[in-house]
Coordinates of all heavy atoms in Angstrom, one line a residue:
T1 N -2.4 -13.1 -17.1 CA -1.2 -12.7 -16.2 C -1.8 -11.9 -14.9 O -2.7 -11.2 -15.1 CB -0.3 -11.9 -17.0 OG1 0.0 -12.5 -18.2 CG2 0.8 -11.5 -16.3
S2 N -1.1 -12.1 -13.8 CA -1.5 -11.4 -12.7 C -0.3 -10.5 -12.1 O 0.8 -10.7 -12.7 CB -1.9 -12.5 -11.6 OG -0.7 -13.2 -11.2
A3 N -0.8 -9.7 -11.2 CA 0.3 -8.9 -10.6 C 1.3 -9.7 -9.9 O 2.5 -9.4 -10.0 CB -0.4 -8.0 -9.7
A4 N 1.0 -10.8 -9.3 CA 2.0 -11.7 -8.7 C 3.1 -12.2 -9.7 O 4.2 -12.6 -9.3 CB 1.2 -12.8 -8.0
D5 N 2.6 -12.3 -10.9 CA 3.4 -12.8 -12.1 C 4.3 -11.7 -12.7 O 5.1 -12.0 -13.7 CB 2.6 -13.5 -13.2 CG 1.9 -14.8 -12.6 OD1 2.6 -15.5 -11.7 OD2 0.8 -15.1 -13.3
G6 N 4.2 -10.5 -12.0 CA 4.9 -9.3 -12.6 C 4.2 -8.5 -13.5 O 4.9 -7.6 -14.2
S7 N 2.9 -8.7 -13.8 CA 2.3 -7.8 -14.7 C 1.9 -6.5 -14.1 O 1.3 -6.2 -13.1 CB 0.9 -8.4 -15.2 OG -0.1 -7.6 -15.7
A8 N 2.5 -5.4 -14.8 CA 2.4 -4.0 -14.3 C 0.9 -3.6 -14.5 O 0.3 -2.9 -13.8 CB 3.4 -3.1 -15.1
V9 N 0.3 -4.2 -15.6 CA -1.1 -3.9 -15.9 C -2.0 -4.3 -14.7 O -2.9 -3.6 -14.2 CB -1.5 -4.3 -17.3 CG1 -3.0 -4.1 -17.5 CG2 -0.6 -3.7 -18.4
A10 N -1.8 -5.6 -14.3 CA -2.6 -6.2 -13.4 C -2.4 -5.4 -12.0 O -3.3 -5.0 -11.2 CB -2.3 -7.6 -13.1
F11 N -1.2 -4.9 -11.8 CA -0.9 -4.2 -10.5 C -1.5 -2.9 -10.6 O -2.0 -2.3 -9.6 CB 0.7 -4.1 -10.3 CG 0.9 -3.7 -8.8 CD1 0.8 -4.4 -7.7 CD2 1.3 -2.3 -8.6 CE1 1.0 -3.9 -6.4 CE2 1.4 -1.8 -7.3 CZ 1.4 -2.6 -6.4
E12 N -1.5 -2.2 -11.7 CA -2.2 -1.0 -11.8 C -3.7 -1.0 -11.6 O -4.2 -0.1 -10.9 CB -2.0 -0.4 -13.3 CG -2.6 1.0 -13.5 CD -2.4 1.5 -14.9 OE1 -1.8 1.0 -15.7 OE2 -3.0 2.6 -15.1
Q13 N -4.3 -2.3 -11.9 CA -5.7 -2.3 -11.6 C -5.8 -2.5 -10.1 O -6.8 -2.0 -9.6 CB -6.2 -3.6 -12.2 CG -6.4 -3.4 -13.7 CD -6.7 -4.7 -14.5 OE1 -6.6 -5.8 -13.9 NE2 -7.2 -4.6 -15.7
L14 N -4.9 -3.1 -9.4 CA -5.1 -3.2 -8.0 C -4.9 -2.0 -7.3 O -5.6 -1.4 -6.4 CB -4.0 -4.2 -7.4 CG -4.2 -5.7 -7.8 CD1 -3.0 -6.5 -7.3 CD2 -5.4 -6.2 -7.0
Y15 N -3.8 -1.1 -7.8 CA -3.6 0.3 -7.4 C -4.9 1.1 -7.6 O -5.2 1.8 -6.6 CB -2.5 0.9 -8.3 CG -2.3 2.4 -7.9 CD1 -1.7 2.9 -6.8 CD2 -2.8 3.4 -8.7 CE1 -1.5 4.2 -6.5 CE2 -2.8 4.8 -8.5 CZ -2.1 5.1 -7.3 OH -1.9 6.4 -6.9
R16 N -5.5 1.1 -8.7 CA -6.7 1.9 -8.9 C -7.8 1.5 -8.0 O -8.5 2.4 -7.4 CB -7.2 1.8 -10.4 CG -6.2 2.5 -11.2 CD -6.7 2.3 -12.7 NE -5.7 2.9 -13.7 CZ -5.7 4.1 -14.2 NH1 -6.5 5.1 -13.6 NH2 -4.8 4.6 -15.0
R17 N -7.9 0.2 -7.7 CA -9.0 -0.2 -6.8 C -8.7 0.1 -5.3 O -9.7 0.4 -4.6 CB -9.1 -1.8 -6.8 CG -10.2 -2.5 -6.1 CD -10.3 -4.0 -6.3 NE -10.3 -4.2 -7.7 CZ -9.7 -5.4 -8.2 NH1 -9.0 -6.2 -7.4 NH2 -9.7 -5.7 -9.4
H18 N -7.5 0.1 -4.8 CA -7.3 0.4 -3.5 C -6.5 1.7 -3.1 O -6.7 2.1 -1.9 CB -6.3 -0.7 -3.0 CG -6.9 -2.1 -3.1 ND1 -7.8 -2.6 -2.2 CD2 -6.7 -3.1 -4.1 CE1 -8.1 -3.8 -2.5 NE2 -7.5 -4.1 -3.7
C19 N -6.2 2.5 -4.1 CA -5.4 3.8 -3.8 C -6.3 4.8 -2.9 O -5.7 5.3 -1.9 CB -5.1 4.5 -5.1 SG -4.2 6.0 -4.8
A20 N -7.4 4.9 -3.2 CA -8.2 6.0 -2.3 C -8.4 5.6 -0.9 O -8.2 6.4 0.0 CB -9.6 6.2 -3.0
R21 N -8.6 4.3 -0.7 CA -8.8 3.8 0.7 C -7.5 3.8 1.5 O -7.4 4.3 2.6 CB -9.3 2.3 0.7 CG -9.6 1.8 2.0 CD -10.3 0.4 2.0 NE -9.5 -0.6 1.3 CZ -8.6 -1.3 1.9 NH1 -8.4 -1.3 3.0 NH2 -7.9 -2.3 1.1
I22 N -6.5 3.4 0.8 CA -5.1 3.5 1.4 C -4.6 4.9 1.6 O -4.1 5.3 2.7 CB -4.1 2.7 0.6 CG1 -4.4 1.2 0.3 CG2 -2.6 3.0 1.1 CD1 -4.4 0.5 1.7
H23 N -4.9 5.8 0.7 CA -4.5 7.3 0.9 C -5.4 7.8 2.1 O -4.8 8.5 2.9 CB -4.8 8.1 -0.3 CG -4.4 9.5 -0.1 ND1 -5.2 10.4 0.2 CD2 -3.1 10.0 -0.3 CE1 -4.5 11.5 0.4 NE2 -3.3 11.3 0.1
A24 N -6.6 7.4 2.2 CA -7.4 7.8 3.3 C -6.8 7.4 4.7 O -6.9 8.2 5.6 CB -8.8 7.6 3.2
L25 N -6.4 6.2 4.7 CA -5.9 5.6 5.8 C -4.4 6.3 6.2 O -4.3 6.7 7.4 CB -5.6 4.1 5.6 CG -4.6 3.4 6.7 CD1 -5.3 3.3 8.0 CD2 -4.1 2.0 6.2
C26 N -3.7 6.6 5.2 CA -2.4 7.4 5.5 C -2.7 8.7 6.0 O -2.0 9.2 6.9 CB -1.6 7.4 4.2 SG -1.0 5.7 3.7
L27 N -3.7 9.4 5.4 CA -4.0 10.7 5.9 C -4.6 10.7 7.3 O -4.1 11.6 8.1 CB -5.0 11.4 4.8 CG -5.4 12.8 5.1 CD1 -4.1 13.7 5.0 CD2 -6.4 13.3 4.1
R28 N -5.4 9.8 7.7 CA -5.8 9.7 9.0 C -4.7 9.5 10.0 O -4.7 10.0 11.0 CB -6.8 8.6 9.3 CG -8.3 8.9 8.8 CD -9.3 7.9 9.2 NE -8.9 6.6 9.0 CZ -9.1 5.9 7.7 NH1 -9.8 6.4 6.8 NH2 -8.8 4.7 7.6
M29 N -3.8 8.6 9.6 CA -2.7 8.3 10.4 C -1.6 9.4 10.6 O -1.0 9.6 11.6 CB -1.9 7.0 10.0 CG -2.8 5.7 10.2 SD -1.9 4.2 9.9 CE -0.9 4.0 11.3
T30 N -1.3 10.1 9.6 CA -0.3 11.1 9.5 C -0.8 12.6 9.8 O -0.1 13.3 10.4 CB 0.5 11.2 8.2 OG1 -0.4 11.5 7.2 CG2 1.0 9.9 7.9
G31 N -2.1 12.8 9.4 CA -2.6 14.2 9.5 C -1.9 15.3 8.7 O -2.1 16.4 8.9
N32 N -1.2 14.7 7.6 CA -0.5 15.7 6.7 C -0.7 15.1 5.4 O -0.2 13.9 5.0 CB 0.9 15.7 7.2 CG 1.8 16.7 6.4 OD1 2.2 16.3 5.3 ND2 2.0 17.9 6.8
V33 N -1.1 15.9 4.4 CA -1.4 15.5 3.0 C -0.1 15.1 2.4 O -0.1 13.9 1.7 CB -1.9 16.7 2.2 CG1 -2.1 16.3 0.7 CG2 -3.4 17.0 2.8
A34 N 1.0 15.8 2.5 CA 2.3 15.3 1.8 C 2.8 14.1 2.3 O 3.2 13.2 1.5 CB 3.3 16.6 1.9
T35 N 2.8 14.0 3.6 CA 3.3 12.7 4.3 C 2.4 11.5 3.9 O 2.8 10.4 3.6 CB 3.4 12.9 5.8 OG1 4.2 13.9 6.1 CG2 3.9 11.7 6.3
A36 N 1.1 11.8 3.8 CA 0.1 10.7 3.5 C 0.4 10.3 2.0 O 0.3 9.1 1.7 CB -1.3 11.2 3.6
E37 N 0.6 11.1 1.1 CA 1.1 10.9 -0.3 C 2.2 10.0 -0.4 O 2.2 9.0 -1.1 CB 1.1 12.1 -1.1 CG -0.2 12.9 -1.3 CD -0.1 14.1 -1.9 OE1 1.0 14.6 -2.2 OE2 -1.1 14.9 -2.2
D38 N 3.2 10.4 0.4 CA 4.5 9.7 0.4 C 4.2 8.3 1.0 O 4.7 7.2 0.5 CB 5.5 10.3 1.3 CG 6.1 11.6 0.7 OD1 6.0 11.9 -0.6 OD2 6.7 12.5 1.4
C39 N 3.4 8.2 2.1 CA 3.3 6.9 2.7 C 2.4 5.9 1.7 O 2.6 4.8 1.5 CB 2.5 7.0 4.0 SG 3.6 7.6 5.3
T40 N 1.5 6.6 1.0 CA 0.7 5.7 0.1 C 1.6 5.2 -1.0 O 1.5 4.1 -1.4 CB -0.5 6.6 -0.6 OG1 -1.2 7.2 0.4 CG2 -1.2 5.9 -1.6
Q41 N 2.4 6.0 -1.5 CA 3.3 5.6 -2.6 C 4.4 4.4 -1.9 O 4.5 3.4 -2.7 CB 4.2 6.7 -3.1 CG 5.2 6.4 -4.2 CD 5.9 7.5 -4.7 OE1 5.6 8.7 -4.6 NE2 7.1 7.2 -5.4
D42 N 4.8 4.8 -0.9 CA 5.7 3.7 -0.2 C 5.0 2.3 -0.1 O 5.6 1.3 -0.2 CB 6.3 4.3 1.1 CG 7.3 5.3 0.9 OD1 7.8 5.6 -0.2 OD2 7.6 6.1 1.9
A43 N 3.8 2.4 0.4 CA 2.9 1.2 0.5 C 2.9 0.3 -0.6 O 3.0 -0.9 -0.7 CB 1.6 1.4 1.3
F44 N 2.5 1.1 -1.7 CA 2.3 0.4 -3.0 C 3.6 -0.1 -3.5 O 3.7 -1.3 -4.2 CB 1.6 1.3 -4.0 CG 0.0 1.4 -3.8 CD1 -0.5 2.3 -3.1 CD2 -0.6 0.2 -4.3 CE1 -2.0 2.2 -2.8 CE2 -2.0 0.2 -4.2 CZ -2.6 1.2 -3.4
V45 N 4.7 0.6 -3.3 CA 6.1 0.2 -3.8 C 6.5 -1.1 -2.9 O 6.9 -2.1 -3.5 CB 7.1 1.2 -3.7 CG1 8.5 0.7 -3.8 CG2 6.9 2.3 -4.6
Q46 N 6.2 -1.0 -1.7 CA 6.4 -2.2 -0.9 C 5.6 -3.4 -1.3 O 6.1 -4.7 -1.4 CB 6.3 -1.9 0.5 CG 7.5 -1.2 1.2 CD 7.4 -1.2 2.6 OE1 6.9 -2.1 3.4 NE2 8.1 -0.1 3.3
A47 N 4.4 -3.2 -1.5 CA 3.5 -4.2 -2.0 C 4.0 -4.9 -3.3 O 4.1 -6.1 -3.5 CB 2.1 -3.7 -2.2
W48 N 4.2 -4.0 -4.3 CA 4.8 -4.6 -5.7 C 6.1 -5.4 -5.4 O 6.3 -6.5 -5.9 CB 5.2 -3.4 -6.5 CG 5.9 -3.7 -7.7 CD1 7.2 -3.5 -8.1 CD2 5.4 -4.2 -8.9 NE1 7.5 -4.0 -9.3 CE2 6.4 -4.5 -9.7 CE3 4.0 -4.7 -9.2 CZ2 6.1 -5.0 -11.1 CZ3 3.8 -5.3 -10.5 CH2 4.9 -5.4 -11.4
R49 N 7.1 -4.9 -4.5 CA 8.2 -5.6 -4.3 C 8.0 -6.9 -3.5 O 8.8 -8.0 -3.8 CB 9.2 -4.8 -3.5 CG 9.8 -3.6 -4.2 CD 10.8 -2.9 -3.4 NE 11.3 -1.7 -4.2 CZ 11.9 -0.6 -3.5 NH1 11.9 -0.7 -2.3 NH2 12.3 0.3 -4.3
N50 N 6.9 -7.0 -2.8 CA 6.8 -8.2 -2.0 C 5.6 -9.1 -2.4 O 5.3 -10.1 -1.7 CB 6.5 -7.9 -0.5 CG 7.7 -7.3 0.2 OD1 8.7 -8.0 0.4 ND2 7.7 -6.0 0.5
L51 N 5.1 -8.8 -3.7 CA 4.0 -9.6 -4.1 C 4.4 -11.1 -4.2 O 3.5 -11.9 -4.0 CB 3.6 -9.3 -5.6 CG 2.6 -8.1 -5.6 CD1 2.3 -7.7 -7.0 CD2 1.3 -8.7 -5.0
P52 N 5.6 -11.6 -4.6 CA 6.0 -12.9 -4.7 C 5.7 -13.6 -3.2 O 5.5 -14.7 -3.1 CB 7.4 -13.0 -5.0 CG 7.6 -11.8 -5.7 CD 6.8 -10.8 -5.1
R53 N 5.6 -12.9 -2.0 CA 5.5 -13.4 -0.7 C 4.0 -13.4 -0.3 O 3.8 -13.8 0.6 CB 6.3 -12.6 0.3 CG 7.8 -12.9 0.0 CD 8.6 -12.2 1.2 NE 9.8 -11.7 0.7 CZ 10.5 -10.7 1.1 NH1 9.9 -10.1 2.3 NH2 11.5 -10.2 0.6
F54 N 3.2 -12.7 -1.0 CA 1.9 -12.6 -0.8 C 1.2 -14.0 -0.7 O 1.3 -14.7 -1.7 CB 1.0 -11.7 -1.7 CG -0.5 -11.6 -1.5 CD1 -1.0 -11.4 -0.4 CD2 -1.4 -12.1 -2.6 CE1 -2.4 -11.2 0.0 CE2 -2.6 -12.0 -2.3 CZ -3.2 -11.6 -1.2
E55 N 0.6 -14.4 0.4 CA -0.2 -15.5 0.6 C -1.6 -15.3 0.4 O -2.2 -14.4 1.2 CB 0.2 -16.3 1.9 CG 1.7 -16.5 2.0 CD 2.1 -17.1 3.4 OE1 1.2 -17.4 4.2 OE2 3.3 -17.3 3.8
T56 N -2.3 -16.1 -0.5 CA -3.6 -15.8 -0.7 C -4.6 -16.2 0.4 O -5.8 -16.3 0.3 CB -4.1 -16.4 -2.0 OG1 -3.9 -17.8 -1.9 CG2 -3.3 -15.9 -3.2
R57 N -4.1 -16.4 1.6 CA -5.0 -16.8 2.8 C -5.7 -15.6 3.2 O -6.9 -15.7 3.8 CB -4.2 -17.2 3.9 CG -3.4 -18.5 3.8 CD -2.7 -19.0 5.0 NE -1.8 -18.0 5.1 CZ -0.7 -18.1 6.0 NH1 -0.7 -19.2 6.8 NH2 0.2 -17.2 6.2
S58 N -5.3 -14.3 2.9 CA -6.1 -13.2 3.3 C -6.3 -12.4 1.9 O -5.6 -12.6 0.7 CB -5.3 -12.2 4.1 OG -4.1 -11.8 3.5
A59 N -7.1 -11.4 1.8 CA -7.4 -10.6 0.6 C -6.3 -9.6 0.4 O -5.6 -9.3 1.3 CB -8.6 -9.8 0.9
F60 N -6.1 -9.4 -0.9 CA -4.9 -8.3 -1.1 C -5.2 -7.1 -0.3 O -4.2 -6.5 0.1 CB -4.9 -8.1 -2.6 CG -3.9 -7.1 -3.1 CD1 -2.6 -7.5 -3.2 CD2 -4.3 -5.7 -3.2 CE1 -1.6 -6.5 -3.5 CE2 -3.3 -4.8 -3.6 CZ -2.1 -5.1 -3.7
G61 N -6.5 -6.5 -0.3 CA -6.7 -5.4 0.5 C -6.3 -5.3 2.0 O -5.8 -4.4 2.4
T62 N -6.5 -6.5 2.5 CA -6.1 -6.7 3.8 C -4.6 -6.7 4.0 O -4.1 -6.0 5.0 CB -6.8 -8.1 4.4 OG1 -8.1 -8.1 4.2 CG2 -6.4 -8.2 5.9
W63 N -3.9 -7.3 3.1 CA -2.5 -7.4 3.2 C -2.0 -6.0 2.9 O -0.9 -5.5 3.6 CB -2.0 -8.4 2.0 CG -0.5 -8.7 2.0 CD1 0.2 -9.1 2.9 CD2 0.2 -8.2 0.8 NE1 1.6 -9.2 2.4 CE2 1.5 -8.6 1.2 CE3 0.0 -7.5 -0.4 CZ2 2.6 -8.4 0.2 CZ3 1.1 -7.4 -1.2 CH2 2.3 -7.8 -1.0
L64 N -2.4 -5.3 1.9 CA -2.1 -3.9 1.7 C -2.3 -3.1 2.8 O -1.4 -2.1 3.2 CB -2.7 -3.4 0.4 CG -2.4 -2.1 -0.2 CD1 -0.9 -1.9 -0.4 CD2 -3.2 -1.7 -1.5
H65 N -3.4 -3.1 3.5 CA -3.8 -2.2 4.6 C -2.7 -2.4 5.7 O -2.1 -1.3 6.3 CB -5.0 -2.7 5.0 CG -5.6 -1.9 6.3 ND1 -5.2 -2.1 7.6 CD2 -6.4 -0.8 6.2 CE1 -5.8 -1.2 8.5 NE2 -6.5 -0.4 7.7
R66 N -2.3 -3.7 6.0 CA -1.1 -4.0 6.9 C 0.1 -3.3 6.5 O 0.8 -2.8 7.4 CB -1.1 -5.4 7.2 CG 0.1 -5.8 8.1 CD 0.1 -5.2 9.4 NE -1.2 -5.2 10.1 CZ -1.5 -4.3 11.1 NH1 -0.6 -3.4 11.6 NH2 -2.7 -4.2 11.8
I67 N 0.5 -3.4 5.3 CA 1.6 -2.8 4.8 C 1.5 -1.3 5.0 O 2.5 -0.6 5.6 CB 1.8 -3.1 3.2 CG1 2.3 -4.5 3.1 CG2 3.0 -2.2 2.6 CD1 2.3 -5.0 1.7
A68 N 0.4 -0.6 4.8 CA 0.2 0.8 4.9 C 0.4 1.2 6.2 O 1.0 2.3 6.7 CB -1.0 1.3 4.2
V69 N -0.2 0.5 7.2 CA -0.1 0.7 8.6 C 1.4 0.8 9.1 O 1.9 1.6 9.8 CB -1.0 -0.2 9.4 CG1 -0.6 -0.1 10.9 CG2 -2.5 0.1 9.2
N70 N 2.1 -0.2 8.7 CA 3.4 -0.4 9.0 C 4.3 0.9 8.5 O 5.3 1.4 9.0 CB 4.0 -1.7 8.6 CG 3.5 -2.8 9.5 OD1 3.1 -2.7 10.6 ND2 3.5 -4.1 8.9
V71 N 4.0 1.2 7.2 CA 4.7 2.4 6.5 C 4.5 3.5 7.4 O 5.4 4.3 7.7 CB 4.3 2.5 5.1 CG1 4.6 3.9 4.5 CG2 4.9 1.4 4.3
N72 N 3.3 3.7 7.7 CA 2.9 5.0 8.4 C 3.5 5.1 10.0 O 3.8 6.2 10.3 CB 1.5 5.0 8.7 CG 0.7 5.7 7.3 OD1 0.6 6.9 7.2 ND2 0.2 4.8 6.5
R73 N 3.7 3.9 10.4 CA 4.2 3.9 11.8 C 5.7 4.3 11.7 O 6.2 4.9 12.8 CB 4.2 2.5 12.4 CG 2.7 2.2 12.9 CD 2.6 0.9 13.6 NE 1.3 0.5 14.0 CZ 0.9 -0.6 14.3 NH1 1.5 -1.6 14.2 NH2 -0.3 -0.7 14.8
S74 N 6.4 4.1 10.7 CA 7.8 4.4 10.4 C 8.0 5.7 9.8 O 9.2 6.3 9.6 CB 8.5 3.3 9.8 OG 8.0 3.2 8.6
A75 N 6.9 6.4 9.4 CA 7.0 7.6 8.7 C 7.4 8.9 9.8 O 6.9 8.9 10.9 CB 5.7 8.0 8.0
P76 N 8.2 9.6 9.1 CA 8.6 11.0 10.0 C 7.4 11.7 10.2 O 6.5 11.9 9.2 CB 9.7 11.6 9.2 CG 9.6 11.2 7.7 CD 9.0 9.7 7.9
R77 N 7.3 12.4 11.3 CA 6.1 13.2 11.6 C 6.4 14.7 11.4 O 7.5 15.1 11.8 CB 5.6 13.0 13.1 CG 5.2 11.6 13.4 CD 3.8 11.4 12.6 NE 3.5 10.0 12.8 CZ 3.2 9.3 11.8 NH1 3.3 9.5 10.5 NH2 2.7 7.9 12.0
I78 N 5.7 15.3 10.8 CA 5.8 16.8 10.5 C 5.0 17.5 11.5 O 3.8 17.3 11.7 CB 5.4 17.2 9.1 CG1 6.3 16.5 8.1 CG2 5.4 18.6 9.0 CD1 5.8 16.5 6.6
R79 N 5.5 18.4 12.3 CA 4.8 19.1 13.3 C 4.6 20.6 12.9 O 5.0 21.2 12.2 CB 5.6 19.1 14.5 CG 6.0 17.7 14.9 CD 5.9 17.6 16.4 NE 6.5 16.2 16.7 CZ 5.6 15.2 17.1 NH1 4.3 15.5 17.1 NH2 6.2 14.0 17.3

């Protein structure tokens, strides 16, 4: 069973594999730990919801990176 088939266990493995890198990206983009944590969570939630649309032409990490960038662009900025 794969994450694309709705396996939470498989998605957890993807989360564990990519979480640190996505969080680092979010932190670089936001400059705020709390906002970065929120954006990281939002990116993974969006990835989970959109897994049926994931096309395997690119790597999952590449696709997730793009989701995270888009989430960060729309995140409120704390000054």
Side-chain angles (χ1 to χ4, degrees):
T1 303
S2 71
D5 295 328
S7 169
V9 172
F11 191 78
E12 181 180 356
Q13 291 173 343
L14 289 171
Y15 171 81
R16 289 178 188 275
R17 185 177 308 145
H18 298 280
C19 183
R21 186 173 58 87
I22 295 301
H23 185 263
L25 168 69
C26 295
L27 188 56
R28 279 192 312 273
M29 289 186 74
T30 65
N32 180 280
V33 173
T35 304
E37 290 171 357
D38 289 344
C39 288
T40 300
Q41 180 177 343
D42 290 348
F44 278 97
V45 168
Q46 284 190 25
W48 172 256
R49 289 181 179 157
N50 290 293
L51 268 175
R53 292 189 220 150
F54 172 61
E55 298 175 8
T56 57
R57 292 182 297 192
S58 64
F60 176 81
T62 304
W63 181 69
L64 179 61
H65 183 275
R66 174 54 44 202
I67 291 172
V69 167
N70 291 338
V71 164
N72 279 282
R73 285 184 177 158
S74 64
R77 297 293 177 233
I78 297 173
R79 303 213 185 262

